[in-house]
Each structure stands twice: as structure tokens, then as C-alpha cells.
Amino acid sequence: MLEKLYPDDYLDSTYEIDFERLAEEGCRGLIFDIDNTLVPHGAPADERAIRLFEQLRRLGYQCCLLSNNQLPRVEMFNQDIQVHFIENAHKPSVRNYKKAMELMHTNEKNTIFIGDQIFTDIYGANRAGIRTILVKPIHPKEEIQIVLKRYLERIVLFFYKRKKRKQGS
């Protein structure tokens, strides 16, 4: 069970991911969480996010935003991005991860999910059979229920890092 909570990769930021390398490896679809993955919670798409999605288009990626937020929040973020999106996704339910791949015409083998939360983002994507990248939250200001989950995430990350260290030796 604990393994389903582990990301395939854990990075400081979405903006340090080597998307060119991932494209060379055969990745064609990217599914993103929004809040604290691409921008601070509740923020519109900023210049950095807009530039990222322009780069991803040039690299030939299909992209989809997968958010547990409601339609107004997701539409506001997507206004300057213009990619597929699914709001009110009920992550970690697997159904909308699969729907995102259908929208992008990709599959489990050539899709990657990028998000900042273990118990929603990573757990759901792992259950859907998608490669996962966990990123550190962009901003510390979060809703109370997320703050509480972060304490549990620290425990999971402790065991994840310990496992990675053992694999490295």
C-alpha cells in the first residue's frame, strides 16, 4: 500500500523538470495539478506558467489540467494557458486520470502526472498506472485540510527517501 503513495520522481519544482528529455524518452502527455504545482494557491497563470505551456506545445506535448477545484478556478487559470482541463476531478479517483488521457489521446505508458500532494495527486496517478513526479509546494499558504495532510506526507516522504537511499547503495 505504501508503494502506491511513492512518486517515481521527487523534485523541487515543476519548472526544473527536463521536458525535452522526457519527450525524447517518448512522453507525449502531461497531466498537471494547478495549485502549488504551477502557481500559488488560487493564483492566475503567471508569466512563468504561460512560458512553460508555450514550450510544451513546441515540444509536441498534449497537456491537461486535473484539479479538484471547481470550474471558475480552473477556467481562470486556463484562460491564458488554453489546454484541456477537468475540474472537480475527485482525485485520487482514477476515473478522471483516464479521462485526461482520452482527451489527450495518450495512454499510461506515454503520460506523466505532475503534482504537489501525495494523497490526492500521486496516489491517484499511481493507481491509474501513470508515471508520477511529485514537486514541492510553491507557497506555504494552504487550506487547513492540506496543512494537516502535509504532516502525514512527511512520514511517507521519510520512507520514500530511505527506500531511494537503499536503492542507490
Side-chain angles (χ1 to χ4, degrees):
M1 165 62 186
L2 203 54
E3 299 286 318
K4 289 281 187 202
L5 298 173
Y6 292 165
D8 292 302
D9 294 294
Y10 181 39
L11 301 171
D12 287 336
S13 169
T14 299
Y15 299 97
E16 73 173 34
I17 297 171
D18 187 346
F19 291 104
E20 289 182 15
R21 180 181 56 80
L22 294 175
E24 290 169 5
E25 292 173 3
C27 180
R28 296 295 171 256
L30 299 168
I31 305 172
F32 290 92
D33 177 51
I34 299 172
D35 286 331
N36 262 339
T37 298
L38 293 165
V39 292
H41 186 80
D46 57 17
E47 285 302 314
R48 184 168 68 159
I50 293 167
R51 280 193 313 272
L52 172 65
F53 283 92
E54 288 169 355
Q55 174 197 12
L56 297 175
R57 272 190 197 86
R58 283 193 305 273
L59 291 170
Y61 282 108
Q62 288 292 311
C63 297
C64 186
L65 306 172
L66 187 64
S67 176
N68 283 347
N69 281 300
Q70 300 303 311
L71 183 61
R73 164 68 182 125
V74 180
E75 281 183 329
M76 182 258 291
F77 178 83
N78 196 41
Q79 187 174 4
D80 293 323
I81 302 293
Q82 294 298 305
V83 296
H84 299 289
F85 68 87
I86 300 169
E87 80 283 353
N88 197 21
H90 300 283
K91 294 179 289 183
S93 171
V94 170
R95 183 181 50 140
N96 284 314
Y97 291 88
K98 293 183 181 213
K99 183 178 175 185
M101 288 184 283
E102 288 173 21
L103 289 171
M104 298 186 301
H105 305 288
T106 62
N107 59 47
E108 294 86 353
K109 293 189 183 349
N110 63 9
T111 303
I112 296 176
F113 181 88
I114 299 135
D116 70 297
Q117 292 188 51
I118 289 173
F119 296 107
T120 51
D121 298 332
I122 302 305
Y123 181 58
N126 281 340
R127 289 176 50 232
I130 303 169
R131 181 175 168 186
T132 57
I133 299 175
L134 177 68
V135 295
K136 292 179 182 172
I138 289 176
H139 195 274
K141 182 179 178 262
E142 297 181 298
E143 297 171 348
I144 187 65
Q145 72 271 17
I146 296 172
V147 170
L148 296 174
K149 283 194 279 185
R150 295 288 185 204
Y151 289 107
L152 296 173
E153 286 183 352
R154 287 185 194 143
I155 296 167
V156 173
L157 287 171
F158 170 82
F159 288 105
Y160 166 78
K161 290 174 184 176
R162 192 168 85 176
K163 178 184 175 198
K164 286 289 190 186
R165 277 194 303 271
K166 285 182 181 179
Q167 288 174 343
S169 353

